[in-house]
Amino acid sequence: MTGATGTGGVGAVARHPLAWGAAWSGALGIAAAAGIAAGWPAWLLGALLALLVAPSLAATVTVLHATPRRRFDEMSSVFGHFVVRYLALVVGVVAWSLSVVVGAAISAVIQLAAEGRESQIVGVGLDIMLVIVPTVVGLLWAAFVLRCAWFLARVRGWRAAPAAGGVPDGMLAGRPAMRRLVVGLSHPALFGAAGLFVAFALPSLYGGVELLLD
């Protein structure tokens, strides 16, 4: 009985997946914007942003991961190719941010030590990290979203229900309702809009951090 109910729910959403996805993202986007304006806690805003992008992100991962290498020359999978580059960039940004922290701490140590405030050096470095990292990671996420949206447009096109032949036939072949749902939620405009909203909202999670260098 539970399985039948779950299948029915998937079927109901799968009939108009793009409309459901847009409504979901729109509602959570409005809630997140209100939370940013009202100064909600960072963990709550982060949860809202994760829920906002989760359906289209999961569908995008499914479609691009199922795309074979022959579609894109040397790529074994579009998602696998870009997620490796994205993670490498994030690691590079974290390393660069740590170098900025070290540089800022060294430049500030003379003043702080002279005034007897050596304990504030680490605090200054952490403040710099909280300001820089979310912003730069948000920019990298935006680049990742745009690249994935571009490949989605190549794979499935811009139609709400693309014609057969775009998405690999083997993807969820035995579950037609789930396949319609995934293909619909992986629309490049939906994923692009939801992903870019998250990218621009990320820095606001630490908007309350103040960088004070006396």
Side-chain angles (χ1 to χ4, degrees):
M1 189 72 173
T2 304
T5 303
T7 304
V10 170
V13 177
R15 283 193 286 272
H16 304 284
L18 183 56
W20 280 95
W24 173 273
S25 298
L28 289 179
I30 292 173
I36 291 171
W40 290 357
W43 68 266
L44 181 56
L45 291 175
L48 284 175
L49 294 177
L51 288 173
L52 185 156
V53 77
S56 57
L57 175 61
T60 296
V61 169
T62 302
V63 171
L64 295 186
H65 184 68
T67 303
R69 181 172 56 188
R70 63 179 178 272
R71 292 279 179 95
F72 301 105
D73 299 326
E74 300 178 354
M75 299 180 188
S76 59
S77 130
V78 177
F79 174 74
H81 177 77
F82 281 101
V83 76
V84 171
R85 288 192 173 187
Y86 177 70
L87 292 177
L89 286 172
V90 170
V91 172
V93 168
V94 172
W96 170 77
S97 301
L98 289 175
S99 70
V100 172
V101 171
V102 173
I106 292 174
S107 65
V109 67
I110 297 177
Q111 290 182 344
L112 295 175
E115 298 174 9
R117 295 183 296 170
E118 294 88 343
S119 61
Q120 293 186 18
I121 296 174
V122 176
V124 170
L126 291 176
D127 284 346
I128 295 174
M129 284 281 290
L130 289 177
V131 171
I132 292 176
V133 172
T135 302
V136 178
V137 171
L139 292 175
L140 292 174
W141 167 253
F144 176 72
V145 167
L146 291 175
R147 291 302 295 268
C148 286
W150 182 72
F151 277 101
L152 282 175
R154 292 182 63 185
V155 173
R156 68 175 303 291
W158 294 91
R159 297 178 59 183
V167 179
D169 296 332
M171 190 193 77
L172 301 172
R175 305 178 65 183
M178 181 62 71
R179 177 184 170 89
R180 288 195 303 271
L181 176 61
V182 169
V183 172
L185 289 177
S186 65
H187 193 280
L190 177 62
F191 179 63
L196 290 178
F197 181 89
V198 171
F200 287 118
L202 275 177
S204 67
L205 297 184
Y206 299 93
V209 175
E210 294 182 0
L211 202 59
L212 299 178
L213 293 174
D214 296 333

